[in-house]
Amino acid sequence: MKSLIKNSIYNLIYKGLNMLFPLVSSIYVSRILLPKGVGRVSLAQNVVSYFVLVAGLGLANYGTKEIGKRQNNKEETSRIFLELFIINFLSTLICSIIYYIVILKSGYFANERPLYMAVGLSLIFNFIQIDWFYQGKEEFQYIAIRSTIVKIISLICMFVFIKDRKDVLIYAIIVVMATGFNYIFNVLKLKNYITISQSIIKKISLKRHIMPAVILLASTISIQLYTRIDTTMLGVLKNEISVGYYTYAIKIEDMVVNLAVAVITILLPRMSLYYNTDKNKFNKLVDKANDIIAFVTIPLVIGTVLIADDIVIILFGEAFLPAANTIKILAPLFWIKSVGYLYGTQVLLTVDEEKKLLYSTIIGAVTNIIMNSFLIPRFSQNGAAFASTVSELIVMCIQIVFARKYIIGAVFKKDQYRKIIISAVMMIVMILIVKHIITNRICLVLVECMVGAIVYFIFSYIQKIDIFEWIINNIKEKI
């Protein structure tokens, strides 16, 4: 069985690169396409994402869980893969036909038809979207290497082909193809993991996956409603410039959240295995993940609020400065989403409580839409950000309540949080001191990040925070 520590390291590399490459491309693209150009592409991506969402049928997490349960049985793994692949193929075919009919026939898309046709390729690539298979097999080393290669190529293409603010279509195509090539690599490598025989084909049964898939689809739709409807409603109720500001604020938020949950993301296949074989190990995994989330995300929230203005100006330019306040409002989501992901996607999905996951996300979606309707007309992207933060907090609380019956131990350890907050407060003090000493913006941000991290780790060591000592001890064992 693969090492969880090694899986975590590879997933950190993968998530880190997922954060770095969009960041680098955004720095370049934002200065060429400007907020309006970025907003046009984001709006088109937002529309096609709903079709991709439905086509995916929630199979990403469901497939990871099902493959994780059977990762040591090649025949069972092959059968499950074929069943889910067929379901995904059929749903993607239907959604692709509907999408292109809508784009070609609706007058609303007439002026931007080439752009929407181009981003629609991401829906076509969903035919071979099987990332869930490799995650279920815990092949995080392969995922990290594959993603790195594709991202380097796509980044080079952006530097070579995007030269003018009119290159919006080229930018959209490069982004879509980056995703597509990841999926193509997956298919080419598949023969090493599955086997197809008549006995396996005879055992194929699609029916048993339909209900869990539909429930997860409904959950995923609800989640996307309160994570993506903001962009759509901003485009309808305000303008493309507001969408551009919000897009880059969300980009920062998504990148940090993905990095923060990188370690616990790898736990779903292992949790699925342990829940059926060793409940004690299952509970230990949940407890450890909870500690890691608190230790990592709390300083990230505070640090982001302190340096948001400088970060936006350095990365995206003065034109995007209004996005800084949006980022500050979204910053608590680093912690909120991470906790929600653990108890919602990880725990509830592992224990086959997809319906409870659905209930929580529906409430979040309804809350977000209602709040957006009142806040966006008055506060633009900042109103959308506040609505998202509150909605996610409500969802997180509901998911914790649902998950409590399946886990042992406290969700929030008072002593642990007290020590973490003390370390974070000392970090704040040092960052504020640095702000009054250094004037060069780039040097300021670099020193703030470095000094803040060092001070936080020093006080974590002094206070003997359990999870910090656990992390250090595991690193020492691997060196």
Side-chain angles (χ1 to χ4, degrees):
M1 189 172 289
K2 294 178 175 64
S3 164
L4 283 176
I5 295 296
K6 287 184 178 179
N7 281 346
S8 298
I9 292 171
Y10 286 125
N11 207 40
L12 277 170
I13 294 171
Y14 170 61
K15 297 294 184 181
L17 291 172
N18 275 351
M19 181 180 74
L20 178 62
F21 281 98
L23 199 58
V24 174
S25 64
S26 297
I27 293 171
Y28 178 72
V29 170
S30 63
R31 285 164 169 77
I32 296 177
L33 301 184
L34 300 180
K36 186 173 183 179
V38 172
R40 286 173 61 197
V41 177
S42 297
L43 205 54
Q45 290 174 320
N46 188 252
V47 171
V48 76
S49 70
Y50 293 114
F51 290 86
V52 174
L53 174 65
V54 175
L57 283 178
L59 293 180
N61 287 322
Y62 178 74
T64 299
K65 180 188 75 168
E66 292 299 305
I67 296 297
K69 284 180 182 179
R70 303 164 175 83
Q71 57 182 293
N72 298 323
N73 187 322
K74 188 171 183 179
E75 183 173 331
E76 278 291 294
T77 297
S78 300
R79 182 171 61 84
I80 292 294
F81 169 79
L82 288 174
E83 290 171 347
L84 298 183
F85 182 82
I86 292 170
I87 292 173
N88 180 72
F89 184 90
L90 295 174
S91 63
T92 302
L93 179 63
I94 295 170
C95 289
S96 297
I97 293 171
I98 295 173
Y99 173 79
Y100 279 103
I101 289 175
V102 171
I103 297 303
L104 293 172
K105 297 296 183 180
S106 174
Y108 178 81
F109 301 102
N111 294 330
E112 294 279 19
R113 194 158 284 148
L115 178 60
Y116 281 86
M117 293 285 286
V119 297
L121 291 173
S122 60
L123 184 55
I124 302 300
F125 280 121
N126 195 68
F127 280 105
I128 51 174
Q129 206 294 74
I130 54 172
D131 260 2
W132 47 267
F133 175 79
Y134 292 98
Q135 290 167 1
K137 294 291 289 183
E138 300 190 34
E139 288 292 346
F140 293 99
Q141 179 181 5
Y142 158 70
I143 293 172
I145 294 172
R146 177 213 66 190
S147 181
T148 302
I149 294 170
V150 172
K151 281 179 169 56
I152 290 173
I153 294 172
S154 65
L155 191 59
I156 292 172
C157 288
M158 287 187 187
F159 291 147
V160 172
F161 296 109
I162 301 175
K163 298 294 184 182
D164 187 88
R165 69 179 59 181
K166 295 179 181 178
D167 294 332
V168 171
L169 185 59
I170 296 174
Y171 171 58
I173 292 173
I174 292 173
V175 171
V176 171
M177 293 306 296
T179 301
F181 278 114
N182 276 317
Y183 298 164
I184 291 170
F185 277 124
N186 284 349
V187 173
L188 294 176
K189 189 178 174 63
L190 193 60
K191 64 180 184 296
N192 299 326
Y193 297 94
I194 67 166
T195 181
I196 300 177
S197 64
Q198 285 189 346
S199 61
I200 292 176
I201 293 175
K202 287 179 181 178
K203 294 179 182 178
I204 286 179
S205 173
L206 305 183
K207 185 177 178 180
R208 63 197 180 99
H209 299 297
I210 299 300
M211 186 53 66
V214 169
I215 293 173
L216 280 173
L217 171 61
S219 299
T220 308
I221 289 174
S222 299
I223 291 171
Q224 297 306 320
L225 275 176
Y226 66 79
T227 56
R228 299 188 187 187
I229 198 69
D230 301 344
T231 303
T232 304
M233 293 183 75
L234 271 172
V236 173
L237 299 177
K238 296 300 288 188
N239 51 53
E240 290 175 335
I241 293 176
S242 295
V243 173
Y245 294 144
Y246 192 70
T247 295
Y248 274 2
I250 285 291
K251 191 184 290 288
I252 294 291
E253 180 262 325
D254 281 344
M255 288 189 294
V256 178
V257 168
N258 285 335
L259 189 60
V261 301
V263 175
I264 64 170
T265 301
I266 59 100
L267 298 180
L268 181 55
R270 192 66 60 90
M271 277 188 179
S272 300
L273 186 63
Y274 284 161
Y275 186 73
N276 293 287
T277 58
D278 193 328
K279 293 293 196 302
N280 186 44
K281 287 184 178 180
F282 169 78
N283 276 288
K284 285 182 178 179
L285 274 182
V286 176
D287 187 62
K288 199 65 67 181
N290 200 5
D291 290 345
I292 291 172
I293 287 171
F295 183 74
V296 171
T297 59
I298 290 176
L300 281 176
V301 171
I302 295 170
T304 299
V305 171
L306 290 174
I307 67 174
D309 295 87
D310 296 322
I311 286 290
V312 168
I313 293 173
I314 291 171
L315 296 181
F316 312 129
E318 294 277 355
F320 281 86
L321 187 57
N325 287 332
T326 312
I327 292 172
K328 294 174 186 178
I329 297 169
L330 291 170
L333 290 179
F334 303 160
W335 176 75
I336 294 170
K337 277 191 172 183
S338 299
V339 175
Y341 181 81
L342 173 62
Y343 290 100
T345 301
Q346 298 277 7
V347 175
L348 291 181
L349 190 56
T350 295
V351 301
D352 298 321
E353 287 286 11
E354 292 90 353
K355 288 184 179 179
K356 290 181 178 178
L357 181 61
L358 172 60
Y359 299 152
S360 66
T361 55
I362 289 176
I363 293 172
V366 172
T367 302
N368 194 44
I369 292 172
I370 293 173
M371 293 183 70
N372 276 336
S373 300
F374 289 102
L375 295 176
I376 287 178
R378 185 173 180 182
F379 300 105
S380 298
Q381 68 275 2
N382 292 336
F386 183 78
S388 288
T389 302
V390 173
S391 300
E392 289 282 4
L393 180 62
I394 292 172
V395 171
M396 181 200 77
C397 293
I398 295 171
Q399 289 174 342
I400 289 174
V401 171
F402 285 151
R404 283 295 292 130
K405 65 180 288 188
Y406 299 101
I407 57 176
I408 300 171
V411 173
F412 305 119
K413 301 175 183 176
K414 293 181 180 179
D415 184 59
Q416 179 97 326
Y417 272 79
R418 178 181 59 79
K419 291 178 179 179
I420 289 172
I421 291 172
I422 290 173
S423 297
V425 168
M426 298 310 299
M427 179 188 76
I428 293 172
V429 172
M430 290 306 300
I431 289 177
L432 292 176
I433 291 173
V434 170
K435 279 184 177 293
H436 285 85
I437 297 174
I438 301 174
T439 55
N440 180 277
R441 203 180 296 274
I442 295 177
C443 290
L444 174 61
V445 170
L446 292 175
V447 174
E448 282 176 331
C449 292
M450 186 166 53
V451 170
I454 291 172
V455 171
Y456 181 72
F457 290 142
I458 288 174
F459 278 89
S460 296
Y461 177 76
I462 292 172
Q463 296 183 93
K464 300 185 183 300
I465 295 178
D466 294 340
I467 192 62
F468 181 66
E469 293 185 334
W470 179 82
I471 292 171
I472 295 299
N473 291 333
N474 273 279
I475 291 174
K476 286 179 179 179
E477 289 177 8
K478 298 301 175 182
I479 296 177

